Amino acid sequence: MFAHGFGCDQNTWRSIIPAFEHEYKLVLFDYVGSGNSDLTAYHDDRYSTLDGYALDVIEICREFELRDVIFIGHSVSSMIGVLASLQEPAFFKKLILIGPSPRYINDQEYIGGLDRKDLEELLDVMDQNYLGWSKMMAPSIMGNSDRPHLAESLTQNFCAADPEIAKKFARVTFLSDNRKDLSSVTVPSLTIQCEDDFLTSKSIAGYIQQHMPKNQVVLLDTSGHCPHLSDPEGVIGAIKSFITC
Amino acid sequence: MPLPEVLNGLNGLNVLSVLTSDNFLYDQLPTGFISFRPDGSIIRINQTFLSWLEMPNDNTVKENFKSILTKACAVYYTLVIEPLLNLQPHVNEISLSFKTATGSFDALFNAVSYTNDQGNLMLVNASVQKITYRKKYEAELLYQKRLEEEQKSKFEFLSNTVPNQIWTASPDGQLAFINQRVKDYFNINDPAQLGGALSVYEEDKEKTIEAWKSCLQTGKKFEKEIRLQGTQQYPEWFLVTAQPFYNEQGEIELWFGSSTNIHKQKSLQLANYSALSESLTTAHKTIDENTETLESIAENQSHMIRKPLANMLGLINLLKLESMSPECSSLFKLLEHSATELDTMIKEVSNQI
């Protein structure tokens, strides 16, 4: 089961899917509020914590009667997978966490990478990109005037995710603290971490390995937070060697 | 703008040639240009952008693209824009903030991404347009939007604290907002799911629609007792009222409506009407029966009384034939007068029955 991270939808897995589609039954989905999901299914109460999103994962397992699931979660979905495995450990065979973080906000000696001010500014940036003068100005300032079909593409992509839900998802994501949950995980897991990731880091991957039983780490020699896009071969290799061992 | 010093001494044609050359345009146009690899390492950057960043005019920058963004923007770029540039060939009009030596500036970011034969991202070419002044307007718009949202959420909070169903409708009558009580009563989440008059009980629907349409046309207050069909088995009575809200131009902007559940009172009222009607019917019946009895009694009594009176009158007529003393004659006349008077009275009573 492939679970996308914040800011993306299931299209994010397009470079990974071909490597597994012939040998495995694949489940891809969009979280409520992302991609082509049913926006009316969003309820503030349910999605005010990551547990609501974990429940989505469990409900998909129940609906399709999935067992021994290999859960592959990117970014925030890593912890959603962890929470789902705590609620229904029998559903999951292995967890693969790409760029995981149990807490993004710095907390005393724990370095999550962001502080509260950063989060508020991030929400402002999101606001500015959903309601900015850029949306009201007709022509683009440069380029693509000869390719108007492309010019609309980004807007469509943004529109696919409901801005209000995306903001709430961002807040839930970056205010989550799952450090205490790590020690209860019983399902074997793999962390895939880029050498140079702006949002997470090798030290966070080390923290997870230290606190989560049966966790191993693979470091990819690539940069960014989306190695499944920037280094799909590396990610495919790491996944295959973990799930076949 | 005065010509750059390096152009001093050149003739007019040469100056024009330099001013329109590719290198001059790339570096000096009032737009920032930047090229960087997928890992963010900068390959080339133009002079305009460097001056905005308050960096030395040196194209061989060692900075990473994400390191020249403010932290929040770097996170946003990492989470949203970077994946997009992997998935699609461009992004347009992204609002980002860049760090400078003395602060930061806001800009619009447009980028085109290039991939190799394997579909992997190789390069990002981007333009950056400074929007410091525009940003102020944008901030004002954002502030107004937030204010509006705050007022909206206050209204929604308030509307959920009252026991009534609260709703608003557009000038053409379409439901725009429903409070939590409406959602709970009809088990819906979106006004569109209510389907307007579909929630009105079938028997009341036609008259309700007619009255509502009339109010929409005339702007008169809507007030009607109607039955609404919620999730329960039977419809319930509601007092539904709606008043138009006029904007500064004097046009109806919204209809504010409330529906108060009056089912108990209405049911009681209807039950009281029914009981009163039944009591009146019984009373009428009793009166009719009593009248009939009275008539029967009166008729019987008049016959019973009249029979001895007729005998008395007959005897009085017989006594007229007898000779009487003056004193008896006087008493006889009084007797005859009284008997005749009683007979007349009984006849009148009998005729009235």
Side-chain angles (χ1 to χ4, degrees):
Chain A
M1 179 187 290
F2 289 88
H4 67 82
F6 172 79
C8 309
D9 61 23
Q10 60 181 285
N11 286 316
T12 198
W13 300 111
R14 68 179 185 186
S15 302
I16 305 293
I17 297 308
F20 298 97
E21 62 188 350
H22 298 301
E23 293 177 67
Y24 296 90
K25 177 180 181 179
L26 304 185
V27 178
L28 289 91
F29 66 97
D30 296 332
Y31 285 111
V32 173
S34 304
N36 292 317
S37 61
D38 176 8
L39 299 182
T40 61
Y42 186 87
H43 299 291
D44 281 340
D45 290 345
R46 174 165 175 152
Y47 297 106
S48 61
T49 66
L50 292 184
D51 286 318
Y53 291 94
L55 191 57
D56 280 2
V57 171
I58 288 168
E59 286 178 354
I60 291 169
C61 291
R62 286 194 182 126
E63 183 67 26
F64 294 100
E65 297 177 353
L66 306 176
R67 295 293 181 274
D68 294 330
V69 172
I70 297 166
F71 179 91
I72 300 169
H74 171 231
S75 195
V76 65
S77 273
S78 301
M79 287 304 126
I80 292 172
V82 163
L83 292 172
S85 82
L86 291 179
Q87 289 181 42
E88 291 287 353
F91 285 4
F92 301 95
K93 188 177 179 183
K94 288 184 175 177
L95 302 176
I96 295 169
L97 320 175
I98 303 177
S101 176
R103 181 181 165 98
Y104 293 93
I105 306 287
N106 301 330
D107 182 24
Q108 294 175 344
E109 290 179 7
Y110 174 85
I111 306 298
L114 301 175
D115 55 36
R116 289 264 177 173
K117 185 171 161 284
D118 296 328
L119 174 60
E120 293 306 323
E121 283 177 10
L122 172 65
L123 295 174
D124 278 346
V125 175
M126 290 177 68
D127 254 348
Q128 287 155 13
N129 279 302
Y130 290 123
L131 175 91
W133 73 276
S134 53
K135 280 222 163 188
M136 298 171 199
M137 295 290 284
S140 61
I141 284 171
M142 79 148 266
N144 296 325
S145 56
D146 57 332
R147 293 185 289 170
H149 60 290
L150 294 180
E152 289 304 313
S153 169
L154 175 67
T155 312
Q156 285 165 9
N157 202 312
F158 270 115
C159 290
D162 181 82
E164 285 305 315
I165 296 176
K167 265 181 72 181
K168 287 173 184 169
F169 190 19
R171 197 173 277 279
V172 169
T173 297
F174 291 109
L175 289 179
S176 63
D177 186 353
N178 301 103
R179 288 176 294 175
K180 287 182 181 170
D181 298 310
L182 299 177
S183 60
S184 308
V185 176
T186 55
V187 181
S189 61
L190 170 72
T191 295
I192 299 177
Q193 177 64 43
C194 295
E195 283 280 356
D196 178 21
D197 182 344
F198 183 83
L199 204 60
T200 59
S201 63
K202 284 189 281 187
S203 69
I204 291 174
Y207 180 93
I208 292 171
Q209 189 178 27
Q210 193 183 343
H211 292 84
M212 193 156 88
K214 301 182 208 170
N215 176 262
Q216 48 185 284
V217 179
V218 168
L219 288 176
L220 295 181
D221 186 21
T222 184
S223 64
H225 188 59
C226 303
H228 51 296
L229 289 168
S230 60
D231 183 15
E233 291 81 13
V235 171
I236 290 165
I239 293 174
K240 280 191 172 174
S241 59
F242 178 65
I243 61 179
T244 53
C245 68
Chain B
M1 175 180 263
L3 292 174
E5 284 182 18
V6 291
L7 300 183
N8 288 344
L10 294 180
N11 66 37
L13 275 177
N14 285 337
V15 168
L16 289 179
S17 173
V18 171
L19 288 177
T20 55
S21 66
D22 292 348
N23 280 343
F24 186 87
L25 290 174
Y26 177 81
D27 268 331
Q28 302 299 330
L29 273 180
T31 297
F33 294 117
I34 187 168
S35 302
F36 56 90
R37 296 188 182 89
D39 65 0
S41 56
I42 296 171
I43 298 171
R44 196 178 172 196
I45 185 167
N46 77 339
Q47 296 295 326
T48 303
F49 199 3
L50 281 172
S51 68
W52 288 342
L53 293 168
E54 299 171 12
M55 284 182 178
N57 287 347
D58 180 359
N59 282 7
T60 56
V61 177
K62 291 178 183 173
E63 299 277 351
N64 185 288
F65 176 69
K66 286 182 197 172
S67 70
I68 61 174
L69 289 167
T70 59
K71 195 165 188 181
C73 285
V75 174
Y76 183 72
Y77 182 85
T78 304
L79 286 173
V80 179
I81 308 304
E82 197 170 51
L84 279 178
L85 285 171
N86 275 278
L87 293 169
Q88 63 185 43
H90 78 288
V91 295
N92 277 344
E93 300 181 24
I94 307 299
S95 178
L96 295 176
S97 297
F98 291 90
K99 288 189 291 191
T100 67
T102 54
S104 65
F105 70 89
D106 300 308
L108 276 188
F109 175 81
N110 298 269
V112 182
S113 60
Y114 297 92
T115 50
N116 61 18
D117 293 342
Q118 289 77 48
N120 295 331
L121 187 64
M122 288 171 59
L123 176 75
V124 176
N125 276 340
S127 75
V128 172
Q129 187 67 41
K130 209 171 180 181
I131 54 165
T132 309
Y133 298 109
R134 277 287 173 186
K135 197 73 181 179
K136 287 178 184 170
Y137 301 134
E138 187 180 329
E140 181 63 24
L141 281 173
L142 205 56
Y143 173 74
Q144 291 299 336
K145 177 182 172 269
R146 283 181 182 160
L147 204 63
E148 199 176 303
E149 280 171 358
E150 195 181 311
Q151 284 174 339
K152 190 181 162 196
S153 59
K154 276 182 186 170
F155 167 71
E156 286 182 11
F157 178 80
L158 183 68
S159 76
N160 286 331
T161 58
V162 295
N164 300 37
Q165 293 183 10
I166 303 292
W167 47 272
T168 66
S170 57
D172 64 356
Q174 296 298 313
L175 281 175
F177 162 79
I178 51 175
N179 74 345
Q180 193 57 44
R181 290 182 197 282
V182 180
K183 291 176 185 174
D184 294 343
Y185 191 78
F186 296 101
N187 191 28
I188 53 158
N189 204 37
D190 189 333
Q193 289 174 269
L194 209 51
L198 289 177
S199 56
V200 177
Y201 184 53
E202 197 60 38
E203 285 181 22
D204 298 345
K205 198 172 281 183
E206 194 177 331
K207 283 186 177 175
T208 303
I209 292 174
E210 198 178 316
W212 179 228
K213 278 184 176 173
S214 167
C215 289
L216 290 176
Q217 284 169 0
T218 59
K220 283 183 183 169
K221 181 184 174 184
F222 178 88
E223 186 168 315
K224 205 167 171 57
E225 289 180 359
I226 51 180
R227 282 165 289 182
L228 299 180
Q229 181 67 61
T231 50
Q232 73 281 53
Q233 287 181 332
Y234 57 88
E236 287 188 311
W237 282 99
F238 279 80
L239 173 64
V240 181
T241 61
Q243 293 205 57
F245 172 78
Y246 290 88
N247 61 20
E248 287 178 357
Q249 288 73 44
E251 296 160 343
I252 294 177
E253 191 169 306
L254 267 182
W255 284 82
F256 281 94
S258 79
S259 309
T260 310
N261 192 321
I262 54 165
H263 192 68
K264 279 185 186 169
Q265 299 92 312
K266 188 74 181 178
S267 301
L268 198 64
Q269 189 187 41
L270 291 174
N272 284 342
Y273 277 143
S274 174
L276 186 62
S277 173
E278 200 173 317
S279 299
L280 285 172
T281 308
T282 308
H284 275 298
K285 195 177 171 187
T286 307
I287 289 168
D288 288 347
E289 284 172 1
N290 288 348
T291 306
E292 203 174 318
T293 306
L294 191 63
E295 283 173 359
S296 172
I297 290 168
E299 199 173 324
N300 288 341
Q301 292 301 313
S302 65
H303 278 293
M304 285 168 69
I305 293 167
R306 193 143 195 287
K307 190 181 173 188
L309 182 62
N311 289 340
M312 286 166 69
L313 289 169
L315 290 171
I316 286 168
N317 284 331
L318 284 175
L319 278 173
K320 281 181 184 172
L321 302 174
E322 298 299 326
S323 59
M324 287 179 274
S325 62
E327 194 178 339
C328 280
S329 180
S330 174
L331 289 170
F332 177 79
K333 281 179 183 173
L334 285 172
L335 175 66
E336 186 183 21
H337 178 75
S338 295
T340 306
E341 200 173 32
L342 182 60
D343 185 43
T344 305
M345 194 188 298
I346 289 170
K347 276 179 183 171
E348 280 177 0
V349 169
S350 183
N351 286 339
Q352 282 180 4
I353 293 170

